[in-house]
Amino acid sequence: MHWTKSFVAAIAGCALSLSIGTLAPTASAQASAPTSLAEAGKDQPTGSEWWRHAVIYEIYPRSFQDSNGDGVGDIKGITARLDYLHDLGIDAIWITPMYPSPGIDYGYDISDYTAIDPEYGTMADFDNLVAEAKKRDIRVIMDYVINHTSDQNKWFLESRSSRDNPKRDWYVWRDGKGETATDKGQPPNNWQSWFGHSAWQWDEKTRQYYYHYFYVQQPDLNWRNPDVHKAMDGVLDFWMKRGVAGFRIDAVSRLYEDPNLHDDPYLSGRNAYGDRNIQHKYTDDLPQVHDVLKEVRSVVDKYPGDPVLVTEADEPNVQALSKMYGNGDEVQLPMDFQIADVNELSAPRFRELFNQIENNSAHGQPEYFFSNHDQPRQWDRYGDGVHNDQIAKLMAVLELTTRGTPQMYYGEELGMRTTDPARIEDVHDPIGKLGWPKEKGRDGERTPMQWTSSQEAGFTTATKPWLPIPPSASKYNVEAESKNPNSILNTYKELLALRKSEPALRDGVQISIGNDSDVFAYLRRSRDESIIVLLNMSSKEKVFAFRPGDVQLNDSSTLRPLYSSTRVGESISPAHVVLPPFAAVVAKAQ
Ligand code: NOJ
């Protein structure tokens, strides 16, 4: 519900109002907040740094729009939907891999880095997509899968062909333990694949094991070999020359392994695949990762347009995350998995984590997301089973009004939900077969985009899309939601437009207000404007009162609402803001 008019009427008669000119945080807010108001605006974008105030939209190409009726999304389909993306208000699309691939990991097993998989179209289709996107001010970010290739990549085929092949050392080959001429022995150590079981695969032809952090069909590249650097830098050059705006770098913390092959320590319990739990101590986050990030940055920085690097790295804390920025010479946008995975509506937890990242030692730009192609959708993860739509709007406000670069996942703007396969026979993602029923795989968050309420949701003309259309598509779809001013889609549109029109929401500092256990409140402040965001993360009605210490009050100022997800009543006063369950309010002090 958009209630701007009623709120303005309500505060017009208020004796108590907010003073924007003297708005200042309390001592408590300052203690936990990173930046004082005096410094407001010091982090304003310089030069073209477009990525600081961009909103990135992740597209899973198999599932976005099918243009040729084969049940699988494709490049022409994405191009056909650029107007939708432009109207929505996004600035860049990150497309997950569209390179030739056997498809074991649905594109993350690449057999040729400098071509387009015919399933998705041609290079001409790709060039046309970049050109059409540019016309609409939309940048294209590619996925750079750097840790591993497909076992069908010609580099690996050569590498596995003989022990003295020049590309043998492009991958990680080791002898087994206790291996003899007739016995393959045991894997070199206890390292485990993220996708279950040993990370070592025996290769009978050359009688050695190769290392794979992910599926058996995804052998790890050996980043200790300079020729691998040259080849992978060439991949970056290839796509930069085609006009892409940067890369999302896949699984970057897994690039190096301990050369002495120490066993990883075991943890208690077992995973969904029945393996003992393990700490990936000797295969994650080795310091050399940062040399590679610097190198990638220096390659892309040869090109104009301020190319962006986004990293997928599920770092365990803000200190580890901050290292990804380097000294401003690594990546601009490390994805913040800490915040993505709070997985409960907890005001204290969000307050703590947002304060931490605001205060990051590298002064880097945060990158926020709540859904992607690897984890259940936010509608389910944050919903309480009763108020999910309301909570979806609250999460949209959180994502789009905090200081950072938001990254959306296709369909989150509709309230798309996770729709897991019901039977093991229907599972596509191999981990879903291996771990069933504990681990059902990632099909549930990759279902086709819901454009219309028709049987195939406007995604395809095929009778059988590659993944089934979720039943929720009949109600949650672009066509229906566009017509409903209260829909989740229109909430996103409204918030995205606000980000563009309000400098404080794009670039202003962020300062937490108060310590309420249910309400996450914060101030966004740029040189000449202050915006307050109030998020009631509980199922109780809450009354939020700005204390004189939180903000200075006087009689001449007002608080003007910009957005609210719900009617908050007629009796609003800055000293007494009534917030219904899961209400989200964005208001401007003036
Ligand atoms: C991270 C990607 O997001 C995921 O989908 C993939 O399975 C792994 N990396 C391996 O490439």
Side-chain angles (χ1 to χ4, degrees):
M1 164 67 71
H2 193 110
W3 49 268
T4 303
K5 280 192 189 120
S6 60
F7 184 94
V8 171
I11 61 169
C14 269
L16 196 57
S17 53
L18 272 172
S19 159
I20 176 179
T22 49
L23 210 57
T26 55
S28 66
Q30 268 177 338
S32 53
T35 325
S36 75
L37 287 181
E39 292 175 279
K42 89 171 169 29
D43 289 335
Q44 295 290 327
T46 55
S48 69
E49 299 189 329
W50 60 272
W51 40 267
R52 278 193 192 273
H53 40 84
V55 176
I56 300 173
Y57 185 96
E58 178 190 352
I59 292 181
Y60 198 69
R62 294 186 79 74
S63 296
F64 196 60
Q65 179 66 62
D66 175 18
S67 75
N68 61 358
D70 64 358
V72 173
D74 47 45
I75 295 174
K76 281 187 173 158
I78 299 172
T79 309
R81 294 297 187 180
L82 285 172
D83 284 338
Y84 166 79
L85 296 170
H86 178 260
D87 292 349
L88 183 60
I90 62 100
D91 306 287
I93 50 179
W94 150 37
I95 312 176
T96 63
M98 298 188 291
Y99 318 102
S101 160
I104 302 294
D105 194 13
Y106 290 95
Y108 281 95
D109 45 327
I110 298 173
S111 49
D112 182 352
Y113 282 84
T114 53
I116 291 289
D117 194 311
E119 196 169 30
Y120 295 124
T122 63
M123 195 58 86
D125 295 338
F126 177 79
D127 290 340
N128 187 47
L129 166 65
V130 174
E132 289 297 321
K134 193 170 179 197
K135 285 184 197 160
R136 294 161 179 85
D137 282 331
I138 294 176
R139 291 171 161 91
V140 177
I141 297 172
M142 297 296 271
D143 215 310
Y144 184 47
V145 184
I146 187 170
N147 177 68
H148 48 268
T149 70
S150 160
D151 63 354
Q152 300 307 307
N153 190 301
K154 64 178 190 293
W155 301 340
F156 187 70
L157 295 177
E158 285 182 46
S159 181
R160 84 186 320 178
S161 65
S162 75
R163 285 199 186 200
D164 52 13
N165 183 280
K167 292 207 171 51
R168 180 67 171 181
D169 187 49
W170 282 38
Y171 293 83
V172 183
W173 292 96
R174 292 288 182 279
D175 292 333
K177 270 191 201 159
E179 181 192 334
T180 65
T182 52
D183 184 355
K184 63 182 182 179
Q186 295 297 313
N189 65 12
N190 75 346
W191 292 350
Q192 270 176 27
S193 160
W194 190 251
F195 290 154
H197 306 337
S198 174
W200 295 100
Q201 177 67 16
W202 175 252
D203 193 58
E204 185 58 38
K205 181 158 186 222
T206 54
R207 299 193 59 78
Q208 271 192 316
Y209 287 84
Y210 68 84
Y211 176 69
H212 57 94
Y213 194 98
F214 295 99
Y215 287 123
V216 168
Q217 298 86 346
Q218 292 171 300
D220 273 45
L221 283 164
N222 175 17
W223 276 89
R224 297 181 193 277
N225 183 321
D227 291 340
V228 167
H229 289 243
K230 266 188 236 146
M232 292 303 284
D233 289 353
V235 170
L236 295 170
D237 282 323
F238 180 88
W239 293 105
M240 287 307 302
K241 285 179 187 155
R242 301 204 97 87
V244 308
F247 297 88
R248 173 267 192 188
I249 314 177
D250 185 66
V252 76
S253 49
R254 331 290 198 210
L255 291 192
Y256 286 88
E257 305 77 40
D258 169 29
N260 300 316
L261 303 190
H262 283 104
D263 275 349
D264 273 335
Y266 285 111
L267 305 170
S268 62
R270 289 188 178 268
N271 62 22
Y273 317 108
D275 309 315
R276 288 180 70 182
N277 284 328
I278 213 165
Q279 181 197 355
H280 292 267
K281 178 173 174 184
Y282 293 105
T283 56
D284 264 13
D285 269 332
L286 269 68
Q288 293 87 343
V289 162
H290 297 283
D291 300 333
V292 174
L293 291 177
K294 287 188 181 72
E295 178 179 330
V296 174
R297 180 69 182 272
S298 68
V299 174
V300 299
D301 272 356
K302 292 183 307 193
Y303 297 87
D306 200 2
V308 73
L309 297 178
V310 180
T311 36
E312 186 214 27
D314 46 350
E315 297 305 315
N317 51 50
V318 71
Q319 288 78 18
L321 180 76
S322 301
K323 285 190 195 161
M324 295 280 160
Y325 298 108
N327 289 318
D329 54 358
E330 296 187 27
V331 304
Q332 297 101 325
L333 300 176
M335 293 163 69
D336 192 325
F337 277 78
Q338 292 286 299
I339 287 177
D341 291 338
V342 167
N343 289 341
E344 56 171 332
L345 279 184
S346 164
R349 190 77 186 121
F350 280 120
R351 189 179 300 120
E352 180 191 0
L353 291 173
F354 276 100
N355 284 345
Q356 282 180 7
I357 188 73
E358 268 295 289
N359 206 17
N360 75 75
S361 55
H363 305 292
Q365 166 87 350
E367 209 259 25
Y368 301 129
F369 70 103
F370 290 106
S371 291
N372 70 14
H373 63 284
D374 288 330
Q375 59 194 136
R377 285 180 174 270
Q378 68 210 57
W379 193 91
D380 312 89
R381 287 201 348 275
Y382 287 93
D384 65 351
V386 180
H387 307 91
N388 289 37
D389 287 1
Q390 184 78 9
I391 293 170
K393 293 174 187 172
L394 178 142
M395 294 305 290
V397 175
L398 179 63
E399 184 176 49
L400 298 174
T401 64
T402 37
R403 191 188 77 85
T405 303
Q407 178 191 294
M408 294 168 55
Y409 183 48
Y410 80 93
E412 77 170 67
E413 73 275 23
L414 305 176
M416 270 179 70
R417 58 193 69 180
T418 315
T419 312
D420 284 328
R423 309 175 312 166
I424 188 171
E425 310 78 285
D426 299 329
V427 173
H428 284 65
D429 187 14
I431 51 171
K433 289 197 190 292
L434 188 66
W436 189 271
K438 267 194 190 163
E439 168 62 70
K440 293 188 169 149
R442 297 163 291 178
D443 297 354
E445 53 265 31
R446 298 173 176 179
T447 56
M449 176 71 173
Q450 300 168 185
W451 297 103
T452 69
S453 54
S454 73
Q455 208 185 350
E456 301 313 340
F459 164 69
T460 181
T461 52
T463 44
K464 200 165 182 290
W466 82 281
L467 283 176
I469 307 293
S472 65
S474 59
K475 182 170 162 213
Y476 295 80
N477 61 69
V478 173
E479 190 181 41
E481 291 192 44
S482 298
K483 294 179 194 145
N484 173 2
N486 267 335
S487 65
I488 299 173
L489 176 59
N490 276 320
T491 298
Y492 270 85
K493 272 194 174 174
E494 202 173 335
L495 292 165
L496 286 160
L498 265 186
R499 274 185 77 88
K500 290 206 193 308
S501 63
E502 300 295 335
L505 287 183
R506 282 203 308 279
D507 308 310
V509 292
Q510 179 173 335
I511 297 174
S512 297
I513 298 174
N515 284 308
D516 196 281
S517 55
D518 295 316
V519 179
F520 182 27
Y522 47 91
L523 173 69
R524 298 296 313 281
R525 166 97 184 178
S526 64
R527 279 196 188 88
D528 9 79
E529 65 169 13
S530 294
I531 290 178
I532 279 154
V533 182
L534 293 168
L535 303 171
N536 179 4
M537 298 196 159
S538 78
S539 57
K540 297 172 280 194
E541 179 176 282
K542 294 285 297 189
V543 176
F544 191 85
F546 289 98
R547 297 163 306 169
D550 288 330
V551 287
Q552 288 186 0
L553 303 170
N554 70 28
D555 289 344
S556 62
S557 311
T558 56
L559 182 63
R560 181 169 63 89
L562 300 173
Y563 169 80
S564 171
S565 62
T566 179
R567 181 175 290 281
V568 289
E570 298 294 319
S571 60
I572 297 165
S573 151
H576 187 88
V577 185
V578 180
L579 296 167
F582 306 113
V585 176
V586 184
K588 189 173 192 173
Q590 56 182 13

